[in-house]
Amino acid sequence: MAFTIFRFPAALALALGLAAGGQAAAYDELVEKQVFEMPEYTTAGGETIAPVKVGWEAYGTLNEAKDNAILITHFFSGTGHAAGKYAEDDAAPGYWDSIIGPGKPLDTETYYVIASDTLVNLNTGDPTVTTTGPASINPDTGEPWGMDFPVVTIRDFVNVQKALVESLGIKRLHAVMGPSMGSLQAYEWASAYPDMVERVIPVIGSGASDAYLIGWLNAWAAPIKLDPNWNGGAYYDGTPPTAGLAEALKLVTLHANHWEWADDTFGRTWADEAADPARSMTAQYQVEAVLDQVSAARAAKSDANHFLYLVKANQAFLTGHGGSLADGLAAIEAPALVIHAPEDLIFFPEAVRETATLIGADGTPVDIVELQGTRGHLDGVIGIAQAGDAIRAFLAQDVPEPAAAD
């Protein structure tokens, strides 16, 4: 009997990193996706994008003082859908639903939790996503930007979020928190705008992309550029490089997981019990078949150029957007709760601990929480409920007001 995706729905959801961790009930109100728009935006590199749109959603109520807001920043292949459902029949809630909602660590009876899509969000084919990027229309040409779109950085993601937050009348965030690429945004928020960030909770990420990760990101991008349909990024009036994008997403999926998960979930099981992979060049092991189907499903609603721009933004990341890592992290004044997965194969624990040490070198309070599990990097998405008590306590701690400027 041939393997089909429906035999392993949990493996599919978890491999995608979309399943919420823990067993808590989903956020109990339907979520509305909204759109934030800027007439124009000037990138950190000095180029202009006009207009700029990003989607955002929120959970809870902004209080009268507008001082109870927590910003959630998302991971590489994620969206601003951090909790709840858009419709009752949605297959799963947002990725951090286990910690966002009434009575949960990010208690929406106390906090107003905001989550937004980033610039160049990968998921251009998802109707709930709004993002400006290479697939958007360049008003000067009437055609998609393609590779003429300006290079954007993690600082640019943060700057657009800052404009969104300020449009709501929020002058100071109770906390900024996010996993993976979201943790890079959290570090950058706290470093670039210390007067606006009371607390920072980076999850499964370190303060810079090191050479090894830069090389891995290059490997993630390579299949897209090798797909002849990519055509230097000029494919919007033709056939998109879906095959190359699927292979790229396969690399991301496997890298974000851990060998223990692969062995425990699949072992050496054949995809088709009648077809021995050792005797046929077309027969597959089950892990191969799942990765193929997962990546094909993701590629169908993603954009290859957006993937490449995300790769560039992550490769370029250095807290503080220039200078030294020590200086960028020293600029962080907010107490930090650094959450990581010891078996993470993307952001290694040594780099995370070095980041925490540098933040705390000038006396800034830093706590570290380790997540347990066999999912590697993805433990920070699906296993975040393990850190729930630490998050709840950290958010409740008093933080001194920033010193008045001279």
Side-chain angles (χ1 to χ4, degrees):
M1 179 178 178
F3 168 85
T4 68
I5 201 67
F6 301 105
R7 290 174 56 187
F8 284 89
L12 172 63
L14 294 180
L16 290 174
L18 296 177
Q23 300 300 317
Y27 179 73
D28 57 3
E29 296 181 21
L30 293 182
V31 177
E32 178 187 359
K33 198 66 174 278
Q34 303 181 66
V35 175
F36 171 70
E37 183 171 359
M38 303 172 69
E40 65 176 30
Y41 170 72
T42 301
T43 70
E47 299 188 71
T48 299
I49 307 170
V52 164
K53 296 181 181 180
V54 293
W56 68 284
E57 56 196 68
Y59 329 100
T61 302
L62 184 62
N63 64 16
E64 187 174 351
K66 299 187 177 183
D67 62 358
N68 68 331
I70 296 174
L71 178 66
I72 304 296
T73 50
H74 69 69
F75 51 95
F76 184 97
S77 62
T79 74
H81 190 40
K85 294 183 175 184
Y86 298 124
E88 294 285 358
D89 59 354
D90 284 357
Y95 65 89
W96 263 0
D97 191 271
S98 63
I99 59 168
I100 299 171
K104 297 179 186 179
L106 276 67
D107 190 343
T108 50
E109 294 178 346
T110 300
Y111 304 116
Y112 181 63
V113 183
I114 304 167
S116 75
D117 302 329
T118 63
L119 289 172
V120 300
N121 188 281
L122 179 63
N123 304 279
T124 57
D126 183 336
T128 68
V129 169
T130 299
T131 184
T132 298
S136 304
I137 298 300
N138 178 349
D140 291 338
T141 66
E143 302 291 336
W145 281 90
M147 300 303 285
D148 290 332
F149 193 76
V151 172
V152 288
T153 63
I154 298 298
R155 173 66 69 88
D156 292 310
F157 297 177
V158 167
N159 285 345
V160 172
Q161 291 161 4
K162 179 174 181 285
L164 163 61
V165 166
E166 290 175 335
S167 76
L168 300 173
I170 298 166
K171 297 180 179 179
R172 189 159 158 85
L173 291 162
H174 189 82
V176 179
M177 177 180 184
S180 191
M181 187 181 80
S183 75
L184 310 188
Q185 295 167 72
Y187 286 124
E188 191 65 17
W189 253 106
S191 177
Y193 303 109
D195 290 347
M196 288 190 68
V197 180
E198 289 186 5
R199 300 163 187 79
V200 62
I201 309 178
V203 181
I204 51 172
S206 59
S209 293
D210 60 20
Y212 193 69
L213 179 55
I214 291 170
W216 260 112
L217 287 160
N218 175 268
W220 289 7
I224 292 172
K225 295 181 178 181
L226 291 172
D227 186 328
N229 288 330
W230 180 59
N231 191 32
Y235 54 80
Y236 292 108
D237 59 353
T239 302
T242 307
L245 178 57
E247 292 303 309
L249 287 163
K250 185 191 299 185
L251 287 173
V252 175
T253 301
L254 191 59
H255 194 191
N257 277 285
H258 193 272
W259 63 264
E260 290 179 278
W261 162 80
D263 277 357
D264 290 347
T265 304
F266 305 108
R268 293 183 54 81
T269 304
W270 303 351
D272 182 339
E273 61 189 20
D276 182 355
R279 295 178 178 273
S280 167
M281 290 300 293
T282 58
Q284 291 185 307
Y285 290 96
Q286 199 174 78
V287 65
E288 295 179 282
V290 167
L291 287 170
D292 281 347
Q293 294 188 55
V294 164
S295 61
R298 294 308 303 275
K301 65 175 185 178
S302 302
D303 182 83
N305 284 339
H306 281 234
F307 186 105
L308 296 178
Y309 274 75
L310 285 169
V311 162
K312 179 63 73 173
N314 281 263
Q315 287 178 316
F317 176 67
L318 176 70
T319 302
H321 196 70
S324 72
L325 177 61
D327 288 345
L329 294 174
I332 295 176
E333 306 273 331
L337 179 65
V338 179
I339 301 173
H340 77 110
E343 294 191 331
D344 193 333
L345 299 178
I346 294 180
F347 290 101
F348 296 110
E350 294 83 359
V352 175
R353 290 188 170 277
E354 178 191 13
T355 297
T357 297
L358 290 171
I359 293 173
D362 61 358
T364 301
V366 181
D367 291 310
I368 299 177
V369 173
E370 291 188 353
L371 302 172
Q372 302 304 311
T374 61
R375 298 304 300 274
H377 188 64
L378 276 183
D379 279 321
V381 177
I382 64 175
I384 190 62
Q386 293 178 46
D389 290 344
I391 294 167
R392 187 190 304 274
F394 182 73
L395 292 174
Q397 291 176 1
D398 290 332
V399 174
E401 290 289 328
D406 293 335

